[in-house]
PDB file of all heavy atoms in Angstrom:
ATOM      1  N   ILE O   1       9.442   3.582  11.534  1.00  0.00           N
ATOM      2  CA  ILE O   1       8.329   4.544  11.537  1.00  0.00           C
ATOM      3  C   ILE O   1       8.490   5.525  10.383  1.00  0.00           C
ATOM      4  O   ILE O   1       7.535   5.821   9.665  1.00  0.00           O
ATOM      5  CB  ILE O   1       8.233   5.272  12.892  1.00  0.00           C
ATOM      6  CG1 ILE O   1       7.807   4.285  13.979  1.00  0.00           C
ATOM      7  CG2 ILE O   1       7.262   6.456  12.811  1.00  0.00           C
ATOM      8  CD1 ILE O   1       7.955   4.807  15.395  1.00  0.00           C
ATOM      9  N   GLN O   2       9.701   5.992  10.174  1.00  0.00           N
ATOM     10  CA  GLN O   2       9.951   6.935   9.079  1.00  0.00           C
ATOM     11  C   GLN O   2       9.766   6.266   7.709  1.00  0.00           C
ATOM     12  O   GLN O   2       9.259   6.895   6.777  1.00  0.00           O
ATOM     13  CB  GLN O   2      11.338   7.557   9.228  1.00  0.00           C
ATOM     14  CG  GLN O   2      11.390   8.495  10.418  1.00  0.00           C
ATOM     15  CD  GLN O   2      12.781   8.983  10.772  1.00  0.00           C
ATOM     16  OE1 GLN O   2      13.772   8.293  10.528  1.00  0.00           O
ATOM     17  NE2 GLN O   2      12.854  10.159  11.367  1.00  0.00           N
ATOM     18  N   GLN O   3      10.122   4.997   7.592  1.00  0.00           N
ATOM     19  CA  GLN O   3       9.889   4.252   6.352  1.00  0.00           C
ATOM     20  C   GLN O   3       8.390   4.105   6.094  1.00  0.00           C
ATOM     21  O   GLN O   3       7.926   4.309   4.968  1.00  0.00           O
ATOM     22  CB  GLN O   3      10.530   2.861   6.416  1.00  0.00           C
ATOM     23  CG  GLN O   3      12.035   2.881   6.391  1.00  0.00           C
ATOM     24  CD  GLN O   3      12.634   1.502   6.682  1.00  0.00           C
ATOM     25  OE1 GLN O   3      11.992   0.633   7.264  1.00  0.00           O
ATOM     26  NE2 GLN O   3      13.878   1.317   6.264  1.00  0.00           N
ATOM     27  N   ILE O   4       7.650   3.787   7.133  1.00  0.00           N
ATOM     28  CA  ILE O   4       6.197   3.659   7.016  1.00  0.00           C
ATOM     29  C   ILE O   4       5.586   5.001   6.611  1.00  0.00           C
ATOM     30  O   ILE O   4       4.732   5.065   5.725  1.00  0.00           O
ATOM     31  CB  ILE O   4       5.592   3.130   8.334  1.00  0.00           C
ATOM     32  CG1 ILE O   4       5.933   1.639   8.502  1.00  0.00           C
ATOM     33  CG2 ILE O   4       4.079   3.373   8.398  1.00  0.00           C
ATOM     34  CD1 ILE O   4       5.608   1.058   9.863  1.00  0.00           C
ATOM     35  N   ASP O   5       6.036   6.056   7.238  1.00  0.00           N
ATOM     36  CA  ASP O   5       5.515   7.390   6.924  1.00  0.00           C
ATOM     37  C   ASP O   5       5.801   7.755   5.462  1.00  0.00           C
ATOM     38  O   ASP O   5       4.950   8.317   4.781  1.00  0.00           O
ATOM     39  CB  ASP O   5       6.118   8.427   7.870  1.00  0.00           C
ATOM     40  CG  ASP O   5       5.463   9.783   7.741  1.00  0.00           C
ATOM     41  OD1 ASP O   5       4.216   9.850   7.731  1.00  0.00           O
ATOM     42  OD2 ASP O   5       6.200  10.786   7.658  1.00  0.00           O
ATOM     43  N   ALA O   6       6.989   7.413   4.979  1.00  0.00           N
ATOM     44  CA  ALA O   6       7.370   7.759   3.607  1.00  0.00           C
ATOM     45  C   ALA O   6       6.520   7.028   2.577  1.00  0.00           C
ATOM     46  O   ALA O   6       6.186   7.601   1.533  1.00  0.00           O
ATOM     47  CB  ALA O   6       8.859   7.434   3.393  1.00  0.00           C
ATOM     48  N   ILE O   7       6.145   5.798   2.850  1.00  0.00           N
ATOM     49  CA  ILE O   7       5.399   5.001   1.868  1.00  0.00           C
ATOM     50  C   ILE O   7       3.884   5.155   2.024  1.00  0.00           C
ATOM     51  O   ILE O   7       3.123   4.814   1.134  1.00  0.00           O
ATOM     52  CB  ILE O   7       5.812   3.515   1.947  1.00  0.00           C
ATOM     53  CG1 ILE O   7       5.380   2.794   0.677  1.00  0.00           C
ATOM     54  CG2 ILE O   7       5.260   2.845   3.179  1.00  0.00           C
ATOM     55  CD1 ILE O   7       5.969   1.423   0.537  1.00  0.00           C
ATOM     56  N   SER O   8       3.438   5.686   3.146  1.00  0.00           N
ATOM     57  CA  SER O   8       1.998   5.796   3.430  1.00  0.00           C
ATOM     58  C   SER O   8       1.393   7.028   2.795  1.00  0.00           C
ATOM     59  O   SER O   8       2.066   8.041   2.586  1.00  0.00           O
ATOM     60  CB  SER O   8       1.771   5.847   4.941  1.00  0.00           C
ATOM     61  OG  SER O   8       2.136   4.627   5.542  1.00  0.00           O
ATOM     62  N   ASP O   9       0.089   6.935   2.543  1.00  0.00           N
ATOM     63  CA  ASP O   9      -0.658   8.102   2.060  1.00  0.00           C
ATOM     64  C   ASP O   9      -2.030   8.131   2.728  1.00  0.00           C
ATOM     65  O   ASP O   9      -3.021   8.502   2.135  1.00  0.00           O
ATOM     66  CB  ASP O   9      -0.769   8.096   0.540  1.00  0.00           C
ATOM     67  CG  ASP O   9      -1.518   6.877  -0.005  1.00  0.00           C
ATOM     68  OD1 ASP O   9      -1.850   5.962   0.781  1.00  0.00           O
ATOM     69  OD2 ASP O   9      -1.769   6.843  -1.222  1.00  0.00           O
ATOM     70  N   SER O  10      -2.040   7.721   3.977  1.00  0.00           N
ATOM     71  CA  SER O  10      -3.283   7.672   4.739  1.00  0.00           C
ATOM     72  C   SER O  10      -2.976   8.112   6.158  1.00  0.00           C
ATOM     73  O   SER O  10      -2.447   9.189   6.357  1.00  0.00           O
ATOM     74  CB  SER O  10      -3.852   6.260   4.697  1.00  0.00           C
ATOM     75  OG  SER O  10      -5.069   6.189   5.400  1.00  0.00           O
ATOM     76  N   PHE O  11      -3.271   7.267   7.111  1.00  0.00           N
ATOM     77  CA  PHE O  11      -2.882   7.534   8.494  1.00  0.00           C
ATOM     78  C   PHE O  11      -2.076   6.363   9.006  1.00  0.00           C
ATOM     79  O   PHE O  11      -2.063   5.283   8.395  1.00  0.00           O
ATOM     80  CB  PHE O  11      -4.092   7.810   9.390  1.00  0.00           C
ATOM     81  CG  PHE O  11      -5.007   6.638   9.630  1.00  0.00           C
ATOM     82  CD1 PHE O  11      -4.793   5.763  10.692  1.00  0.00           C
ATOM     83  CD2 PHE O  11      -6.107   6.418   8.819  1.00  0.00           C
ATOM     84  CE1 PHE O  11      -5.637   4.678  10.918  1.00  0.00           C
ATOM     85  CE2 PHE O  11      -6.965   5.342   9.033  1.00  0.00           C
ATOM     86  CZ  PHE O  11      -6.725   4.474  10.084  1.00  0.00           C
ATOM     87  N   ILE O  12      -1.375   6.573  10.108  1.00  0.00           N
ATOM     88  CA  ILE O  12      -0.605   5.523  10.745  1.00  0.00           C
ATOM     89  C   ILE O  12      -1.339   5.125  12.019  1.00  0.00           C
ATOM     90  O   ILE O  12      -1.694   5.981  12.826  1.00  0.00           O
ATOM     91  CB  ILE O  12       0.826   6.002  11.067  1.00  0.00           C
ATOM     92  CG1 ILE O  12       1.567   6.327   9.763  1.00  0.00           C
ATOM     93  CG2 ILE O  12       1.576   4.952  11.884  1.00  0.00           C
ATOM     94  CD1 ILE O  12       2.919   7.005   9.954  1.00  0.00           C
ATOM     95  N   TYR O  13      -1.604   3.843  12.152  1.00  0.00           N
ATOM     96  CA  TYR O  13      -2.316   3.316  13.316  1.00  0.00           C
ATOM     97  C   TYR O  13      -1.303   3.073  14.425  1.00  0.00           C
ATOM     98  O   TYR O  13      -0.437   2.216  14.298  1.00  0.00           O
ATOM     99  CB  TYR O  13      -3.008   2.010  12.914  1.00  0.00           C
ATOM    100  CG  TYR O  13      -3.974   1.438  13.926  1.00  0.00           C
ATOM    101  CD1 TYR O  13      -5.261   1.116  13.555  1.00  0.00           C
ATOM    102  CD2 TYR O  13      -3.601   1.189  15.247  1.00  0.00           C
ATOM    103  CE1 TYR O  13      -6.165   0.559  14.453  1.00  0.00           C
ATOM    104  CE2 TYR O  13      -4.493   0.649  16.153  1.00  0.00           C
ATOM    105  CZ  TYR O  13      -5.762   0.327  15.751  1.00  0.00           C
ATOM    106  OH  TYR O  13      -6.647  -0.206  16.653  1.00  0.00           O
ATOM    107  N   MET O  14      -1.409   3.845  15.488  1.00  0.00           N
ATOM    108  CA  MET O  14      -0.513   3.695  16.633  1.00  0.00           C
ATOM    109  C   MET O  14      -1.138   2.744  17.647  1.00  0.00           C
ATOM    110  O   MET O  14      -2.094   3.121  18.322  1.00  0.00           O
ATOM    111  CB  MET O  14      -0.277   5.048  17.313  1.00  0.00           C
ATOM    112  CG  MET O  14       0.597   5.994  16.548  1.00  0.00           C
ATOM    113  SD  MET O  14       0.834   7.549  17.450  1.00  0.00           S
ATOM    114  CE  MET O  14       1.653   6.994  18.948  1.00  0.00           C
ATOM    115  N   VAL O  15      -0.616   1.558  17.744  1.00  0.00           N
ATOM    116  CA  VAL O  15      -1.061   0.627  18.775  1.00  0.00           C
ATOM    117  C   VAL O  15      -0.512   1.170  20.094  1.00  0.00           C
ATOM    118  O   VAL O  15       0.694   1.360  20.243  1.00  0.00           O
ATOM    119  CB  VAL O  15      -0.538  -0.801  18.489  1.00  0.00           C
ATOM    120  CG1 VAL O  15      -0.926  -1.756  19.608  1.00  0.00           C
ATOM    121  CG2 VAL O  15      -1.038  -1.283  17.141  1.00  0.00           C
ATOM    122  N   SER O  16      -1.401   1.444  21.035  1.00  0.00           N
ATOM    123  CA  SER O  16      -0.980   2.117  22.272  1.00  0.00           C
ATOM    124  C   SER O  16      -0.111   1.244  23.165  1.00  0.00           C
ATOM    125  O   SER O  16       0.747   1.744  23.879  1.00  0.00           O
ATOM    126  CB  SER O  16      -2.198   2.604  23.052  1.00  0.00           C
ATOM    127  OG  SER O  16      -2.957   1.499  23.502  1.00  0.00           O
ATOM    128  N   SER O  17      -0.346  -0.067  23.126  1.00  0.00           N
ATOM    129  CA  SER O  17       0.408  -0.975  23.991  1.00  0.00           C
ATOM    130  C   SER O  17       0.144  -2.408  23.557  1.00  0.00           C
ATOM    131  O   SER O  17      -0.632  -2.649  22.643  1.00  0.00           O
ATOM    132  CB  SER O  17      -0.013  -0.809  25.448  1.00  0.00           C
ATOM    133  OG  SER O  17      -1.319  -1.323  25.636  1.00  0.00           O
ATOM    134  N   ALA O  18       0.746  -3.346  24.262  1.00  0.00           N
ATOM    135  CA  ALA O  18       0.513  -4.752  23.974  1.00  0.00           C
ATOM    136  C   ALA O  18      -0.750  -5.265  24.661  1.00  0.00           C
ATOM    137  O   ALA O  18      -1.092  -6.424  24.544  1.00  0.00           O
ATOM    138  CB  ALA O  18       1.722  -5.574  24.410  1.00  0.00           C
ATOM    139  N   ALA O  19      -1.448  -4.406  25.376  1.00  0.00           N
ATOM    140  CA  ALA O  19      -2.654  -4.821  26.097  1.00  0.00           C
ATOM    141  C   ALA O  19      -3.793  -5.128  25.121  1.00  0.00           C
ATOM    142  O   ALA O  19      -3.773  -4.693  23.970  1.00  0.00           O
ATOM    143  CB  ALA O  19      -3.092  -3.718  27.054  1.00  0.00           C
ATOM    144  N   VAL O  20      -4.781  -5.830  25.590  1.00  0.00           N
ATOM    145  CA  VAL O  20      -5.961  -6.120  24.788  1.00  0.00           C
ATOM    146  C   VAL O  20      -6.747  -4.824  24.601  1.00  0.00           C
ATOM    147  O   VAL O  20      -6.851  -4.004  25.518  1.00  0.00           O
ATOM    148  CB  VAL O  20      -6.831  -7.182  25.502  1.00  0.00           C
ATOM    149  CG1 VAL O  20      -8.115  -7.435  24.736  1.00  0.00           C
ATOM    150  CG2 VAL O  20      -6.043  -8.466  25.672  1.00  0.00           C
ATOM    151  N   THR O  21      -7.312  -4.639  23.437  1.00  0.00           N
ATOM    152  CA  THR O  21      -8.041  -3.413  23.142  1.00  0.00           C
ATOM    153  C   THR O  21      -9.173  -3.160  24.142  1.00  0.00           C
ATOM    154  O   THR O  21      -9.902  -4.070  24.493  1.00  0.00           O
ATOM    155  CB  THR O  21      -8.590  -3.425  21.691  1.00  0.00           C
ATOM    156  OG1 THR O  21      -9.313  -2.214  21.470  1.00  0.00           O
ATOM    157  CG2 THR O  21      -9.494  -4.594  21.428  1.00  0.00           C
ATOM    158  N   GLY O  22      -9.242  -1.931  24.639  1.00  0.00           N
ATOM    159  CA  GLY O  22     -10.313  -1.525  25.531  1.00  0.00           C
ATOM    160  C   GLY O  22     -10.198  -2.008  26.959  1.00  0.00           C
ATOM    161  O   GLY O  22     -11.101  -1.798  27.753  1.00  0.00           O
ATOM    162  N   SER O  23      -9.084  -2.613  27.351  1.00  0.00           N
ATOM    163  CA  SER O  23      -9.035  -3.271  28.653  1.00  0.00           C
ATOM    164  C   SER O  23      -8.464  -2.425  29.786  1.00  0.00           C
ATOM    165  O   SER O  23      -8.666  -2.753  30.941  1.00  0.00           O
ATOM    166  CB  SER O  23      -8.208  -4.555  28.541  1.00  0.00           C
ATOM    167  OG  SER O  23      -6.856  -4.240  28.285  1.00  0.00           O
ATOM    168  N   GLN O  24      -7.724  -1.399  29.488  1.00  0.00           N
ATOM    169  CA  GLN O  24      -7.073  -0.664  30.557  1.00  0.00           C
ATOM    170  C   GLN O  24      -7.912   0.489  31.082  1.00  0.00           C
ATOM    171  O   GLN O  24      -8.931   0.837  30.532  1.00  0.00           O
ATOM    172  CB  GLN O  24      -5.699  -0.190  30.093  1.00  0.00           C
ATOM    173  CG  GLN O  24      -5.764   0.673  28.846  1.00  0.00           C
ATOM    174  CD  GLN O  24      -4.548   0.483  27.978  1.00  0.00           C
ATOM    175  OE1 GLN O  24      -4.415  -0.508  27.300  1.00  0.00           O
ATOM    176  NE2 GLN O  24      -3.669   1.434  28.007  1.00  0.00           N
ATOM    177  N   SER O  25      -7.448   1.107  32.149  1.00  0.00           N
ATOM    178  CA  SER O  25      -8.233   2.196  32.756  1.00  0.00           C
ATOM    179  C   SER O  25      -7.489   3.510  32.666  1.00  0.00           C
ATOM    180  O   SER O  25      -7.380   4.241  33.632  1.00  0.00           O
ATOM    181  CB  SER O  25      -8.533   1.857  34.224  1.00  0.00           C
ATOM    182  OG  SER O  25      -7.317   1.785  34.940  1.00  0.00           O
ATOM    183  N   GLY O  26      -6.984   3.855  31.533  1.00  0.00           N
ATOM    184  CA  GLY O  26      -6.227   5.079  31.351  1.00  0.00           C
ATOM    185  C   GLY O  26      -4.810   4.737  30.933  1.00  0.00           C
ATOM    186  O   GLY O  26      -4.336   3.621  31.153  1.00  0.00           O
ATOM    187  N   PHE O  27      -4.144   5.678  30.318  1.00  0.00           N
ATOM    188  CA  PHE O  27      -2.787   5.448  29.851  1.00  0.00           C
ATOM    189  C   PHE O  27      -1.793   5.887  30.901  1.00  0.00           C
ATOM    190  O   PHE O  27      -1.973   6.901  31.563  1.00  0.00           O
ATOM    191  CB  PHE O  27      -2.542   6.193  28.540  1.00  0.00           C
ATOM    192  CG  PHE O  27      -3.368   5.673  27.404  1.00  0.00           C
ATOM    193  CD1 PHE O  27      -4.333   6.451  26.804  1.00  0.00           C
ATOM    194  CD2 PHE O  27      -3.182   4.377  26.933  1.00  0.00           C
ATOM    195  CE1 PHE O  27      -5.092   5.971  25.755  1.00  0.00           C
ATOM    196  CE2 PHE O  27      -3.942   3.883  25.891  1.00  0.00           C
ATOM    197  CZ  PHE O  27      -4.893   4.678  25.298  1.00  0.00           C
ATOM    198  N   GLY O  28      -0.720   5.117  31.029  1.00  0.00           N
ATOM    199  CA  GLY O  28       0.340   5.431  31.967  1.00  0.00           C
ATOM    200  C   GLY O  28       1.380   6.344  31.352  1.00  0.00           C
ATOM    201  O   GLY O  28       1.314   6.710  30.167  1.00  0.00           O
ATOM    202  N   GLU O  29       2.355   6.680  32.140  1.00  0.00           N
ATOM    203  CA  GLU O  29       3.416   7.594  31.718  1.00  0.00           C
ATOM    204  C   GLU O  29       4.172   7.064  30.499  1.00  0.00           C
ATOM    205  O   GLU O  29       4.508   7.827  29.588  1.00  0.00           O
ATOM    206  CB  GLU O  29       4.388   7.819  32.880  1.00  0.00           C
ATOM    207  CG  GLU O  29       5.453   8.857  32.590  1.00  0.00           C
ATOM    208  CD  GLU O  29       6.367   9.097  33.789  1.00  0.00           C
ATOM    209  OE1 GLU O  29       5.973   8.822  34.927  1.00  0.00           O
ATOM    210  OE2 GLU O  29       7.486   9.580  33.541  1.00  0.00           O
ATOM    211  N   GLU O  30       4.415   5.766  30.455  1.00  0.00           N
ATOM    212  CA  GLU O  30       5.137   5.170  29.331  1.00  0.00           C
ATOM    213  C   GLU O  30       4.382   5.387  28.021  1.00  0.00           C
ATOM    214  O   GLU O  30       4.971   5.753  26.995  1.00  0.00           O
ATOM    215  CB  GLU O  30       5.342   3.677  29.593  1.00  0.00           C
ATOM    216  CG  GLU O  30       6.153   2.982  28.518  1.00  0.00           C
ATOM    217  CD  GLU O  30       6.387   1.517  28.839  1.00  0.00           C
ATOM    218  OE1 GLU O  30       6.440   1.135  30.024  1.00  0.00           O
ATOM    219  OE2 GLU O  30       6.508   0.739  27.873  1.00  0.00           O
ATOM    220  N   GLN O  31       3.075   5.190  28.043  1.00  0.00           N
ATOM    221  CA  GLN O  31       2.283   5.377  26.829  1.00  0.00           C
ATOM    222  C   GLN O  31       2.194   6.856  26.443  1.00  0.00           C
ATOM    223  O   GLN O  31       2.306   7.183  25.259  1.00  0.00           O
ATOM    224  CB  GLN O  31       0.890   4.779  27.016  1.00  0.00           C
ATOM    225  CG  GLN O  31       0.960   3.260  27.031  1.00  0.00           C
ATOM    226  CD  GLN O  31      -0.182   2.666  27.802  1.00  0.00           C
ATOM    227  OE1 GLN O  31      -0.567   3.161  28.856  1.00  0.00           O
ATOM    228  NE2 GLN O  31      -0.713   1.567  27.295  1.00  0.00           N
ATOM    229  N   ILE O  32       2.017   7.721  27.417  1.00  0.00           N
ATOM    230  CA  ILE O  32       1.967   9.170  27.127  1.00  0.00           C
ATOM    231  C   ILE O  32       3.288   9.616  26.500  1.00  0.00           C
ATOM    232  O   ILE O  32       3.299  10.386  25.530  1.00  0.00           O
ATOM    233  CB  ILE O  32       1.634   9.975  28.394  1.00  0.00           C
ATOM    234  CG1 ILE O  32       0.285   9.557  28.992  1.00  0.00           C
ATOM    235  CG2 ILE O  32       1.692  11.473  28.115  1.00  0.00           C
ATOM    236  CD1 ILE O  32      -0.907   9.783  28.113  1.00  0.00           C
ATOM    237  N   ASN O  33       4.396   9.126  27.041  1.00  0.00           N
ATOM    238  CA  ASN O  33       5.707   9.461  26.467  1.00  0.00           C
ATOM    239  C   ASN O  33       5.834   8.955  25.033  1.00  0.00           C
ATOM    240  O   ASN O  33       6.415   9.627  24.179  1.00  0.00           O
ATOM    241  CB  ASN O  33       6.836   8.909  27.329  1.00  0.00           C
ATOM    242  CG  ASN O  33       6.980   9.649  28.641  1.00  0.00           C
ATOM    243  OD1 ASN O  33       6.559  10.798  28.775  1.00  0.00           O
ATOM    244  ND2 ASN O  33       7.565   8.995  29.626  1.00  0.00           N
ATOM    245  N   TYR O  34       5.282   7.783  24.765  1.00  0.00           N
ATOM    246  CA  TYR O  34       5.265   7.229  23.398  1.00  0.00           C
ATOM    247  C   TYR O  34       4.458   8.132  22.479  1.00  0.00           C
ATOM    248  O   TYR O  34       4.911   8.484  21.379  1.00  0.00           O
ATOM    249  CB  TYR O  34       4.697   5.805  23.464  1.00  0.00           C
ATOM    250  CG  TYR O  34       4.207   5.201  22.179  1.00  0.00           C
ATOM    251  CD1 TYR O  34       5.037   5.045  21.066  1.00  0.00           C
ATOM    252  CD2 TYR O  34       2.908   4.708  22.081  1.00  0.00           C
ATOM    253  CE1 TYR O  34       4.578   4.442  19.905  1.00  0.00           C
ATOM    254  CE2 TYR O  34       2.439   4.095  20.921  1.00  0.00           C
ATOM    255  CZ  TYR O  34       3.284   3.971  19.843  1.00  0.00           C
ATOM    256  OH  TYR O  34       2.830   3.362  18.699  1.00  0.00           O
ATOM    257  N   PHE O  35       3.286   8.552  22.910  1.00  0.00           N
ATOM    258  CA  PHE O  35       2.460   9.458  22.095  1.00  0.00           C
ATOM    259  C   PHE O  35       3.234  10.737  21.764  1.00  0.00           C
ATOM    260  O   PHE O  35       3.234  11.204  20.626  1.00  0.00           O
ATOM    261  CB  PHE O  35       1.160   9.819  22.804  1.00  0.00           C
ATOM    262  CG  PHE O  35       0.248   8.660  23.131  1.00  0.00           C
ATOM    263  CD1 PHE O  35      -0.709   8.785  24.107  1.00  0.00           C
ATOM    264  CD2 PHE O  35       0.352   7.437  22.468  1.00  0.00           C
ATOM    265  CE1 PHE O  35      -1.564   7.729  24.418  1.00  0.00           C
ATOM    266  CE2 PHE O  35      -0.486   6.374  22.768  1.00  0.00           C
ATOM    267  CZ  PHE O  35      -1.452   6.518  23.758  1.00  0.00           C
TER     268      PHE O  35
END
């Protein structure tokens, strides 16, 4: 993550989980902790 941040000059896309996009009904504790 730090290597990506050092080389980037835009934004970093945080994939919230391995789930399919738009499929879940809210984020769980694990994802909130990741954020």
Side-chain angles (χ1 to χ4, degrees):
I1 292 168
Q2 291 171 332
Q3 290 171 339
I4 287 170
D5 189 48
I7 197 168
S8 294
D9 62 354
S10 181
F11 68 89
I12 297 171
Y13 190 127
M14 287 181 62
V15 176
S16 66
S17 71
V20 176
T21 179
S23 67
Q24 57 213 76
S25 63
F27 294 115
E29 185 177 338
E30 183 178 331
Q31 289 154 319
I32 301 298
N33 288 338
Y34 162 58
F35 300 159

